[in-house]
Amino acid sequence: MEEANQSVVSEFIFHGLCDSGNLQKFLSLPFSALYLMTVLGNLFVVFLIITDSHLHSPMYFLLANLSFVDFCLSSVTTPKLTTDFLNDNKTISFEGCMSQILCVHFFGGGEMVLLVSMAYDRYVAICKPLHYSSIMNRQKCIWLVLTSWIIGFVHAISQLAMILDLPFCGPRIVDRFFCDIPLVIKLACMDTHTLRLLINADSAVLATTCFILLLISYTYILVTVRLSSKHGASKALSTCTSHITVVVLFFGPCIFIYLWPPSITWVDKFLAVFYTVITPLLNPAIYTLRNKEIKNAIKILIS
């Protein structure tokens, strides 16, 4: 009898974003630039928050962690994508494929929980301002970040455990630019209908729970502040717009890909590019362009 996985399939082949070789070579430069901007942007936010004492608050501590997670998430897929644009043979080893799956779900799951923590921070700041410093103390912030990493890791391990021992014996072409469970599981040499339901349920529980908590948090913020001030709604929107924008940009593509999979291939690939390449780039821009304290910190740094 054949041994599983590595003895049958030692590598997978990525189909890539398109069929045109010339177009792929052309895309290598803009995607390389996007990744460079993502790395510099997110690491700059982390550096700025660490070095500027005015930004040593719970909100910016959580923001620094979000920027670091975005940097990691983008680094899992984008470097491989940019190099594959220049290669005709877009292969990845079995171990590399499983590592991509683990890291994408680790950082993606961790970011979901971290966004909930940031919403909780805004809830305390706006709805309980007098108790903010006592509630969002240093220990609480560290635990919120640790919780996001732990939940992300448990989610990633549970996803990987369900597919690691599947028999892969061909075909081995993944119709995307990185390994992701919905497409990789289709290549297994067995009926995976029940397994796909379990995997989708696992992702759905985490994503849906986080999304509902985010909706409750921001709805409660708007309602509470509106009742206490006639200008409350506009003030709350001004404070939370950046957070809400990031939540929509991150959760939107994830919901379509994992909870409501599209049947159109190019739509699927566009959404995958959006949440692995574009969103990590937009997050630092959204926070820095709309945040006066960060803009002031940048002025002090360059002056």
Side-chain angles (χ1 to χ4, degrees):
M1 180 180 291
E2 293 178 316
E3 293 183 4
N5 295 345
Q6 290 93 333
S7 64
V8 180
V9 169
S10 59
E11 63 181 18
F12 294 96
I13 301 173
F14 292 142
H15 186 273
L17 289 180
C18 59
D19 296 320
S20 173
N22 291 331
L23 179 58
Q24 292 192 63
K25 288 181 173 60
F26 171 78
L27 290 175
S28 63
L29 183 59
F31 272 84
S32 297
L34 288 174
Y35 177 63
L36 179 61
M37 293 167 62
T38 300
V39 172
L40 294 178
N42 283 290
L43 293 184
F44 177 72
V45 171
V46 174
F47 170 78
L48 194 65
I49 292 173
I50 291 175
T51 57
D52 194 308
S53 60
H54 298 94
L55 302 179
H56 291 177
S57 67
M59 182 179 74
Y60 294 111
F61 175 73
L62 295 174
L63 175 57
N65 280 275
L66 178 66
S67 292
F68 180 72
V69 171
D70 278 329
F71 157 71
C72 294
L73 179 61
S74 180
S75 298
V76 173
T77 59
T78 312
K80 173 65 175 171
L81 171 62
T82 55
T83 55
D84 280 347
F85 279 137
L86 303 175
N87 296 326
D88 294 328
N89 191 23
K90 303 173 177 59
T91 61
I92 185 171
S93 66
F94 177 86
E95 294 80 6
C97 183
M98 295 300 109
S99 297
Q100 273 197 337
I101 290 174
L102 177 69
C103 291
V104 166
H105 285 271
F106 176 38
F107 295 121
E111 180 158 344
M112 289 182 185
V113 181
L114 192 56
L115 288 171
V116 174
S117 298
M118 296 177 74
Y120 174 71
D121 171 74
R122 290 300 84 203
Y123 157 75
V124 177
I126 295 173
C127 300
K128 298 183 178 181
L130 299 179
H131 303 283
Y132 180 74
S133 58
S134 60
I135 296 176
M136 294 300 296
N137 53 51
R138 183 178 182 85
Q139 185 177 11
K140 172 70 74 63
C141 292
I142 292 174
W143 272 111
L144 287 173
V145 171
L146 285 177
T147 299
S148 70
W149 286 103
I150 292 171
I151 292 178
F153 180 74
V154 171
H155 168 67
I157 288 295
S158 66
Q159 293 277 293
L160 184 64
M162 286 188 278
I163 69 166
L164 191 60
D165 291 327
L166 288 177
F168 294 102
C169 54
R172 55 197 180 104
I173 298 177
V174 180
D175 191 14
R176 197 177 287 179
F177 58 91
F178 70 97
C179 284
D180 203 3
I181 288 181
L183 295 179
V184 172
I185 198 173
K186 292 181 180 179
L187 306 180
C189 305
M190 60 175 288
D191 182 11
T192 58
H193 176 71
T194 302
L195 188 59
R196 284 201 302 270
L197 293 178
L198 290 174
I199 290 174
N200 288 339
D202 186 359
S203 295
V205 168
L206 177 61
T208 304
T209 301
C210 290
F211 193 65
I212 290 174
L213 289 174
L214 287 165
L215 286 177
I216 293 173
S217 298
Y218 288 118
T219 300
Y220 195 86
I221 288 171
L222 295 177
V223 171
T224 301
V225 181
R226 186 179 180 88
L227 291 175
S228 62
S229 170
K230 61 181 180 180
H231 300 296
S234 61
K235 291 180 181 178
L237 283 174
S238 176
T239 304
C240 300
T241 296
S242 298
H243 296 263
I244 295 172
T245 303
V246 170
V247 167
V248 172
L249 290 175
F250 183 79
F251 275 88
C254 290
I255 289 173
F256 275 95
I257 289 176
Y258 296 106
L259 305 185
W260 186 17
S263 58
I264 305 174
T265 302
W266 73 265
V267 174
D268 187 33
K269 290 183 178 181
F270 171 78
L271 293 174
V273 168
F274 195 87
Y275 87 86
T276 59
V277 180
I278 305 300
T279 300
L281 171 64
L282 291 178
N283 284 357
I286 290 170
Y287 284 110
T288 55
L289 292 177
R290 296 187 58 87
N291 191 292
K292 291 182 179 180
E293 290 182 314
I294 288 185
K295 287 191 285 188
N296 290 334
I298 294 174
K299 290 179 182 177
I300 294 173
L301 182 66
I302 62 178
S303 61

